[in-house]
Structures are given as structure tokens and as C-alpha cells.
Amino acid sequence: MELIVKSMPAEVQAQALAWKREGLTVGLVPTMGYLHEGHASLIRRAASECDRVIVSVFVNPTQFGPNEDLESYPRDLEHDLKLARECGAHLVFTPTPETMYLPGASTWVTVEGLTRELCGKSRPIHFRGVATVVCKLINIAQPDRAYFGEKDAQQLAVIRRMTADLNMPVQIVGCPIVREADGLAKSSRNTYLNEKERQAALVLSRSLERGREMLEKGETDVQKVLDAISGTIAAEPMARIDYVQAVDADSIEPVKTLAGTVLFAIAVYIGKTRLIDNFYWKV
Amino acid sequence: MELIVKSMPAEVQAQALAWKREGLTVGLVPTMGYLHEGHASLIRRAASECDRVIVSVFVNPTQFGPNEDLESYPRDLEHDLKLARECGAHLVFTPTPETMYLPGASTWVTVEGLTRELCGKSRPIHFRGVATVVCKLINIAQPDRAYFGEKDAQQLAVIRRMTADLNMPVQIVGCPIVREADGLAKSSRNTYLNEKERQAALVLSRSLERGREMLEKGETDVQKVLDAISGTIAAEPMARIDYVQAVDADSIEPVKTLAGTVLFAIAVYIGKTRLIDNFYWKV
């Protein structure tokens, strides 16, 4: 079928409800566009599991702080439509801030607790914006399943918590990080890096790899693993640590010992570009 | 058909989704139980407009402040089931705080602006609790239409705003206040009143009637109308004013002149019992 492109929330909702009435299952892949191989893996997985796939492309202003990169965030809708079509999407939803946030809009969805650590520290309003827009996107697209990358592991935990707490009838599917051949996690923000920075950015995946190797060899002291990760990053002159933390994967509470699923997560500035990466360690 | 009674959110959601798949429309009437003729009017209206009607009976703890009447709020499930059945309900949803708020629940829905005035002043966490639980109930019951009484006019405005802001595919239906023969607005809290207080409580409807008569005779000075209402209440020794306000019916912002639809709303303590009443004035 032809790829449908729509920008009005009400039109997308009407299409989704029509599909649901026909008994079709719907998958949603929320994105900020500038789609890369990570997004492609989400869309392909959705297409393999759902009858209809809706990809949203929306650089959501309410999840950016005043000094963040809302204005410079890369955009390329033509490329996004092509990639979405090739990966099996049926509808691309391209709203504008004006159609998503009507005059007088004043409702926020907040998730407490899970948003205190990691990115919540340096991006205080970020997850309020994420939770609110994802709640809206789910209500618009009426998906049976919604797909998110594990690179944004805290976002994934927040959205799992929100949809469970608000009894939203949707299954949240987390998908593995997709990396460049040299290890750098795919991100639309990698486009900000110049050649030298691109090379320096490898310290993120390399430091995590070092931590994971220690765990595989039997290290059980969480702090030693974190220290090794931090030490590796500190040795790269172009890198500046925002955080290096080990938290419970569901509650995003800091952990001192290995139990359940532990998320080792880092955020690092390479020049002016802030990058994140992580891995899960299941005990 | 037999009245279905269920206490687990997931069971009610499964039933609602099954009805929707059959092409049936669903109406939701959220209540705190101890149903009276006001609730009955909502259920009958829902039954006349929808194929299936879900009535929820839940005294929601998160919308009560620490010194409010959560513990003493009247309950009578047997009576509620009988009334719901007689009015045409198909399912009564009777959750508990434990099934509605799972361990670790930490998501809130807040509506800013509309919750500053009127009841928002004396009940600071009330509307956060209302918005969150109504968001949950709508996600559970999947209604095409949800019915609310106009007695809680600020609640009605908050829920209209929330469902619009979050793109929830539900129509919010406001229904007129139902009154006792002598004018007192029906409320589960009227049961708190002793005989003398019951008589004194008539000052709410009487004062509003006085204000409305002034408007009907052509009074255009909002303050004069408010003063007349306040003066009437002040003349009743058992009454203590919480607020007497005129606000825009949609934004709940105070108004000084008549324009659009103005909500004249009051909250008055009769002894220890806090009662509310209001009327809309359309210009």
C-alpha cells in the first residue's frame, strides 16, 4: 500500500481507529526524525509484529531545555519518508508544535522517582516533555505495541512506568542499541561531531565495553566497574563526563550491588555534543 | 443483560475492548459511589446514548487532602449496584486503591491554570488526583463518551482540558445539576448534614438564585452580583464562605465583566461540611 503522510492529529487518530475497527493491529514508532539504522530496526520490528505501522516524526519542543539543541536538531523529512517506507511503515505522522499543542494547552504527564537520576539531573524538564508527548502520541495512534530504542534506557523505563500507571492498553517494546561498525551508538546527534570528535566519541562504547568485560570476568563491585568506566573516559582529552551511573533498570534508583537487571549508563560531552550510551547487566 | 461487577482494571479493560471490537459504543460514568439522583441522571443519559454503560465506583484517595473526609466519605455498594442496574448500566467497576495504584506507581497528570482558582485554592492536590484517576478510568473503560455533572464545574473544565490536551478519543458530556425539591444540589456529602444544617444549606441555592435574578433583570456588574450572593450567605449564621467567584467557564480565570460563558461558583461550609454549587451565565 501507498505510504500515508499526515500532519493533523485528528486525521491520524481517525485512521488508526478505522484500522482498529477492521481488527488490524497497530504498531507505533515515535521518533524525532533524521532516521538512522537504529530507527530502521524499530520500524522493521514493528512491521514484522503489527498489521499497520505508524511512524511519528516530531522534534518535540517541550522536552528541550532553554539551552539545548532544539533549533539545531537535524531534520530531513524526505529521507525519513523514504526510510520509513522501505522499512515497512504504512503511515508517517508529521505534526507541528502548533497542531500538537493547541492554544491554552496546560496538561502535563509527570513520572516521579524514575526521572531524578541520570539524564534527569542535567535535563530537569526533559522527561515531563517526553512523558506528555508520548502519552499524546499513543492516544493519537492507538497502538497495540509501541517501540523504543534501549539507547534511551531511562526514557524506556519512564514510558513503561507511565503506560502501566495510566492503564494504557499498549505493550512497550524495547529494542537493542544499533551501533556503527566501530562501536559508536547510532544517534541523530552524531551528525554534530566533526572528524576529531567522531573519533573521540568512541570512548563511550569503549569505556562501557571495558566495564562489561570486568563483569564478565566476575567483578561484583559496582563501584570498581564505574571507576574503570570513568577512568577510561577521563583519559580522552575531548571528553567531559556528565554522569557514569549504575541504576536498577526499572526504578532507575542507584544501586551499589548487583541484583536483578542493572543499567550501566553514561552521558558524555564530546566538545559541545552530549552523547549517551549504556548496557544492561542481568544477574 | 445481567449487570457485570468487576474490581480488576485489566478485566474491565478487556471487556471494554471486546465491546469496542464488536462495534459497540461505550459510555463511562465515573463516580465515588453513594449514588443519588444526580448520578442516576448521568447513567440514564449514558444508557440513552451508548450501547454499553460502565459506571465506576471508587473513592479515590489521591484527590483527598490530609484533613479531608476520605475516611468518612459515605459508602453503600449494594444500593449503588441496584441504582446503576435500574438506570441501565451494564458494568459496575469497583476497584480498590491497591488495584488502581500498584506498588511503585509514580505518574501524575496535572492540568495547570484551570486549577488555580475556586476549589484549587483550598484543595491544592485535589485536581491532580482527579485528572490522574479520570485519565486512568478512561484508559480502562475505553469510552466513546464520559459523563460528568455540572455541579463539579471546575472538575468538568479540567477534564475537558485534559482529554483535549492529551488527544484522548472521548467526548466529555456535562449534565445539569439535579436538585432536591427545595433547591439543595444533590450531593453524597449532604448526608453529613444534621437537620438544622440541612435547612441552613439552602442558603447556597438561594444565594445563587438571587444572583441569577439580578442578571436576568439586566445587571451587568459582576461584582454587584457576587456581593449579593456573598451577602445572602453571610446572613446565614451556620454558613462560612470558602469562595464566591465568577470565572470564565472554560479557562476558570476570574472575570470582571460578562462575556462568553461565565461560571458563578460558590463553596460554603455548613458546620464542618463543605458544599459547592454554581450556575452558568451565557452572554
Side-chain angles (χ1 to χ4, degrees):
Chain A
M1 60 185 275
E2 191 85 16
L3 182 73
I4 305 167
V5 182
K6 288 199 182 295
S7 63
M8 294 302 293
E11 285 185 319
V12 175
Q13 190 171 57
Q15 176 65 77
L17 288 169
W19 282 335
K20 300 301 287 288
R21 272 195 302 273
E22 289 176 44
L24 300 170
T25 58
V26 174
L28 171 66
V29 183
T31 83
M32 298 213 298
Y34 212 74
L35 304 182
H36 51 64
E37 196 51 38
H39 301 107
S41 74
L42 304 179
I43 302 171
R44 284 195 207 100
R45 171 124 182 229
S48 76
E49 296 179 347
C50 307
D51 300 318
R52 293 290 179 272
V53 175
I54 298 176
V55 176
S56 62
V57 173
F58 180 51
V59 182
N60 173 37
T62 69
Q63 70 193 64
F64 286 80
N67 297 315
E68 293 182 1
D69 58 344
L70 172 61
E71 297 307 321
S72 60
Y73 198 86
R75 291 158 166 90
D76 186 347
L77 184 58
E78 197 177 336
H79 160 82
D80 293 345
L81 295 178
K82 185 166 177 292
L83 183 142
R85 185 189 294 113
E86 285 168 3
C87 294
H90 301 87
L91 189 155
V92 176
F93 175 36
T94 58
T96 63
E98 291 69 30
T99 60
M100 282 294 271
Y101 300 103
L102 297 178
S106 54
T107 303
W108 294 105
V109 180
T110 53
V111 179
E112 297 180 346
L114 284 75
T115 52
R116 262 196 307 265
E117 302 292 329
L118 308 184
C119 295
K121 282 187 181 170
S122 56
R123 307 187 75 188
I125 65 153
H126 176 64
F127 287 111
R128 183 185 72 165
V130 168
T132 302
V133 80
V134 172
C135 181
K136 287 165 64 69
L137 290 169
I138 289 174
N139 286 334
I140 291 166
Q142 298 282 312
D144 297 271
R145 299 184 194 85
Y147 298 80
F148 296 87
E150 290 178 348
K151 183 166 78 67
D152 298 284
Q154 187 174 18
Q155 168 178 279
L156 179 58
V158 166
I159 288 165
R160 282 194 203 283
R161 184 83 251 170
M162 173 191 74
T163 52
D165 285 352
L166 296 183
N167 305 87
M168 302 180 87
V170 59
Q171 183 192 339
I172 302 302
V173 182
C175 300
I177 296 175
V178 175
R179 297 180 181 281
E180 304 287 351
D182 59 9
L184 181 66
K186 298 257 186 184
S187 166
S188 306
R189 289 189 169 101
N190 291 349
T191 186
Y192 297 148
L193 303 169
N194 66 32
E195 211 171 318
K196 278 189 174 171
E197 290 169 338
R198 173 67 184 73
Q199 204 53 36
L202 290 177
V203 76
L204 279 91
S205 54
R206 201 169 64 239
S207 67
L208 289 176
E209 204 43 54
R210 168 123 191 255
R212 196 209 297 265
E213 277 165 15
M214 291 173 69
L215 291 161
E216 279 165 357
K217 284 179 183 155
E219 180 58 65
T220 57
D221 186 329
V222 169
Q223 193 55 52
K224 279 190 185 163
V225 177
L226 294 176
D227 289 346
I229 295 171
S230 299
T232 305
I233 300 169
E236 166 54 58
M238 296 183 80
R240 180 167 61 82
I241 291 174
D242 180 9
Y243 63 75
V244 172
Q245 279 198 283
V247 298
D248 178 83
D250 293 324
S251 70
I252 314 291
E253 292 284 347
V255 298
K256 297 195 164 172
T257 55
L258 295 175
T261 300
V262 175
L263 172 70
F264 288 85
I266 62 178
V268 178
Y269 284 93
I270 303 293
K272 290 184 176 174
T273 303
R274 184 175 174 280
L275 300 174
I276 59 175
D277 201 347
N278 68 73
F279 68 89
Y280 295 100
W281 184 258
K282 285 178 195 168
V283 180
Chain B
M1 59 185 275
E2 191 86 16
L3 183 73
I4 305 167
V5 182
K6 288 200 182 292
S7 63
M8 294 301 294
E11 286 185 318
V12 175
Q13 190 171 57
Q15 176 65 79
L17 288 169
W19 281 335
K20 299 301 286 288
R21 273 195 302 274
E22 289 176 45
L24 299 170
T25 58
V26 174
L28 170 67
V29 182
T31 82
M32 297 213 299
Y34 213 72
L35 304 182
H36 52 63
E37 196 51 38
H39 301 108
S41 74
L42 303 179
I43 301 171
R44 283 195 207 100
R45 171 122 181 230
S48 76
E49 296 179 347
C50 308
D51 299 319
R52 292 291 178 270
V53 174
I54 299 175
V55 176
S56 63
V57 173
F58 180 52
V59 182
N60 173 37
T62 70
Q63 70 193 63
F64 286 80
N67 298 314
E68 292 182 2
D69 57 344
L70 173 61
E71 297 308 321
S72 60
Y73 198 87
R75 289 158 167 91
D76 186 348
L77 184 58
E78 197 177 335
H79 160 81
D80 293 344
L81 295 178
K82 184 166 178 291
L83 183 141
R85 186 189 293 112
E86 286 169 1
C87 294
H90 301 86
L91 189 155
V92 176
F93 175 37
T94 58
T96 64
E98 291 70 28
T99 60
M100 283 293 272
Y101 300 102
L102 297 178
S106 54
T107 303
W108 293 106
V109 179
T110 52
V111 179
E112 298 180 344
L114 285 74
T115 53
R116 262 195 308 266
E117 302 292 329
L118 308 184
C119 295
K121 283 189 180 169
S122 56
R123 308 188 73 189
I125 65 154
H126 175 64
F127 287 111
R128 183 185 72 164
V130 168
T132 302
V133 80
V134 171
C135 182
K136 287 165 65 68
L137 290 168
I138 289 174
N139 286 334
I140 292 165
Q142 298 282 311
D144 298 271
R145 298 184 194 84
Y147 298 80
F148 296 86
E150 290 179 348
K151 183 166 80 65
D152 297 284
Q154 188 175 18
Q155 168 178 280
L156 179 59
V158 166
I159 288 164
R160 283 192 202 283
R161 183 84 250 172
M162 173 191 74
T163 53
D165 284 353
L166 296 183
N167 306 88
M168 302 179 88
V170 60
Q171 184 192 338
I172 302 302
V173 183
C175 300
I177 296 175
V178 176
R179 297 180 181 280
E180 305 285 354
D182 60 8
L184 181 66
K186 297 256 186 186
S187 166
S188 305
R189 288 189 168 101
N190 291 347
T191 186
Y192 296 150
L193 303 168
N194 66 30
E195 208 172 320
K196 277 190 175 171
E197 289 169 340
R198 172 69 183 73
Q199 204 53 37
L202 290 177
V203 75
L204 279 91
S205 54
R206 201 170 62 238
S207 67
L208 289 176
E209 205 42 54
R210 169 121 190 256
R212 196 208 297 265
E213 278 166 14
M214 291 172 68
L215 291 161
E216 279 166 358
K217 283 179 184 157
E219 180 60 64
T220 57
D221 186 330
V222 169
Q223 194 53 52
K224 278 190 185 163
V225 176
L226 293 175
D227 289 346
I229 295 171
S230 299
T232 305
I233 300 169
E236 166 53 60
M238 298 183 79
R240 181 167 62 82
I241 291 174
D242 179 10
Y243 63 75
V244 172
Q245 279 198 283
V247 298
D248 178 83
D250 293 324
S251 71
I252 314 291
E253 292 285 347
V255 297
K256 296 196 165 170
T257 54
L258 295 175
T261 299
V262 176
L263 173 69
F264 288 84
I266 63 178
V268 177
Y269 284 94
I270 304 293
K272 289 183 174 173
T273 303
R274 184 175 173 282
L275 300 174
I276 60 175
D277 201 348
N278 69 72
F279 68 88
Y280 295 99
W281 184 258
K282 285 176 197 169
V283 180

